[in-house]
Amino acid sequence: MRGLFTAGVLDVLMERSVKFDGLVGVSAGACFGCNYKSGQVGRVIRYNKRFARDPRYCSWKSLFTTGDLFGAEFCYRTLPMELDVFDAAAYEANPMEFHIVATDCATGRAVYRRLDKADERAFDWIRASASMPVVSRPVEIDGGLYLDGGLSDGIPLRYFESIGYEWNVVVTTRPHGYRKFPTNKIRLLKPLLHRHPAVYRALVTRHVWYNEALEYIDARVAAGAAILIAPKEPLEISRVCHDPDVMQRVYDIGRKAAESADLSFD
């Protein structure tokens, strides 16, 4: 739910008609970022608040009955195709590239996919990118199993540069200066991930690449090749939130951050 900060940022940029050649989203950034390509200002905060307390959207009931805390059928089929329709035609007409990051359960490594069509396959890749381990089933695509891209490359600036994007705007949901530290709590997840040992190893080492990615962003900002938009203070919202007022507050913080950002490159 920290991704609602990102949603606020993106809505302001869309309102200001800021055009990008490409966008890459990870986890909630994939779920919310696709709306930039479809040009649907306000859609993310609207449906999150509308379904905040709907057990089909996110609930322990959904986890126990379907294996997914965020209901897969509801979130990636019913909601975008019937209840708050995703504009597939606008998405496909927009020349901006949209990429997502997911984690291969067999290797624990990042996989990257460019999604040109807004079809069921694309929604499966977006779902995979946002499927948190333990509280989500791995998503099967073409015989492979995939989970949250945040396990392997949650801030893919290097990837985007590697495919030709020389100047980038990076949106993070942690304040500048934040660093991730290892925790023994991760060991509690090992029995729950016994079928996917590579995913567990990715969790154990996640802080290493994550902190390196943050340092790399700082270096690229200093070099004039990247602009960072981040909250000034920690966002007081958990990974799961059922309070529309809290959702709106975090979204508004994102809007303010975008409104004050200088998006000019030297």
Side-chain angles (χ1 to χ4, degrees), residues 5 9 13 169-174 227-231 254 257-258 261-263:
F5 170 87
V9 171
L13 299 185
V169 176
V170 181
V171 182
T172 66
T173 60
R174 300 285 194 180
I227 294 168
L228 175 64
I229 301 178
D262 179 3
L263 297 183

Side-chain angles (χ1 to χ4, degrees), residues 156-168:
L157 177 57
R158 286 184 186 273
Y159 163 70
F160 235 35
E161 289 182 338
S162 76
I163 61 173
Y165 290 93
E166 298 178 350
W167 295 279
N168 294 278

Side-chain angles (χ1 to χ4, degrees), residues 98-129:
F98 181 68
H99 300 243
I100 63 92
V101 186
T103 299
D104 188 328
C105 291
T107 65
R109 296 178 180 175
V111 294
Y112 308 91
R113 289 292 182 272
R114 173 178 164 179
L115 306 179
D116 295 326
K117 294 285 187 180
D119 53 15
E120 290 191 7
R121 180 183 176 84
F123 284 126
D124 284 342
W125 276 114
I126 292 171
R127 175 187 160 205
S129 181

Side-chain angles (χ1 to χ4, degrees), residues 66-81:
T66 70
D68 294 296
L69 185 65
F70 286 85
E73 183 65 24
F74 183 80
C75 293
Y76 299 96
R77 295 292 186 269
T78 305
L79 196 162
M81 296 179 183

